Amino acid sequence: MTTPVRVLVCDDQALIRTGFATIIDAQPDLEVVAECGDGRSAVDLAARLHPDVVVMDVRMPVLDGIEATRLLAGAGVAHPVKVLVVTTFNLDEYVYEALRAGASGFLLKDAPPAQLLHGIRTVASGAALLAPEVTRRLVGRYAARIRPAGGTPPDSALTARELEVLRLIANGLSNSEIAATLVISHETVKTYVSRILSKLNLRDRVQAVVYAYRNGLVT
């Protein structure tokens, strides 16, 4: 048997926290290692227990979910933890800042249990939980904030085709849509995406979107 994905649940509402834990623990491939009600406790517990995924609320006492995410998964963290933000706020500034802080994706709290479980498994696998249509809306709303004033982007490591794929990712296209646009196979797109993330030292396509806009690769 494979080792279960170890999950830390952090939410300041006990009822929601317990509900999430119950749903997660009922799965044979998932295991809740701890629960807590604020971001500071999440950071401390993660350092001690080393969970695979932290399910993180945004608005909490002591330390909010955005700052906790930055401490767990932000730039410069030696051993980043994968964070799945679960919030009542749909594509607002809180969610955007959480993604900037290093979260691998987000869900709404009213999502059905199956989506929560899918989200945890997706994030644990190293993928980002951010649907292409959500990427379009998110970037469309915040592009002006993350677009640079000028300068040359540090993208010289990428080939011309990799840059093309990165721009399409930033425009919210899925792998299948990229394959159709460039008339290449789905597997070839996956290979390009993997190379882009590796060359730019990015964790997932959420970071790739932000990178592309911050470095002026998309207008």
Side-chain angles (χ1 to χ4, degrees):
M1 292 181 62
T2 57
T3 303
V5 174
R6 304 172 74 252
V7 183
L8 169 62
V9 178
C10 182
D11 195 294
D12 65 335
Q13 297 183 54
L15 186 60
I16 291 176
R17 192 167 65 238
T18 301
F20 284 171
T22 301
I23 293 167
I24 295 166
D25 263 337
Q27 305 302 306
D29 60 331
L30 305 177
E31 174 190 8
V32 175
V33 295
E35 302 173 37
C36 60
D38 64 81
R40 172 51 60 189
S41 296
V43 173
D44 294 342
L45 285 168
R48 181 156 51 90
L49 300 175
H50 307 291
D52 299 305
V53 176
V54 177
V55 175
M56 182 79 74
D57 189 18
V58 173
R59 300 178 72 174
M60 295 182 293
V62 184
L63 187 70
D64 66 41
I66 295 171
E67 289 305 316
T69 297
R70 187 170 289 114
L71 292 174
L72 290 170
V77 175
H79 302 288
V81 180
K82 297 179 178 68
V83 177
L84 173 62
V85 172
V86 183
T87 177
T88 56
F89 302 97
N90 185 9
L91 292 179
D92 70 349
E93 185 173 357
Y94 292 107
V95 176
Y96 172 77
E97 293 298 342
L99 294 174
R100 286 283 306 275
S104 291
F106 73 91
L107 287 173
L108 295 179
K109 284 186 178 178
D110 60 0
Q115 285 190 20
L116 172 65
L117 298 173
H118 171 70
I120 293 170
R121 294 181 179 114
T122 298
V123 169
S125 73
L129 189 74
L130 193 62
E133 61 271 18
V134 173
T135 303
R136 295 186 186 101
R137 290 170 56 192
L138 182 66
V139 170
R141 183 168 178 178
Y142 292 103
R145 178 179 302 182
I146 59 180
R147 189 173 294 129
T152 303
D155 53 33
S156 57
L158 300 183
T159 66
R161 178 47 67 96
E162 287 166 351
L163 276 171
E164 192 173 13
V165 171
L166 176 57
R167 290 188 178 99
L168 293 175
I169 292 171
N171 279 310
L173 273 68
S174 67
N175 285 358
S176 296
E177 291 170 331
I178 294 172
T181 299
L182 300 180
V183 196
I184 56 179
S185 72
H186 188 272
E187 289 302 315
T188 300
V189 174
K190 290 176 64 176
T191 298
Y192 279 127
V193 172
S194 178
R195 287 177 185 170
I196 291 166
L197 298 181
S198 177
K199 286 184 177 182
L200 299 180
N201 195 29
L202 303 173
R203 187 186 57 246
D204 51 45
R205 61 196 300 138
V206 173
Q207 290 191 347
V209 170
V210 174
Y211 175 94
Y213 274 86
R214 291 184 72 182
N215 288 286
L217 299 180
V218 182
T219 56

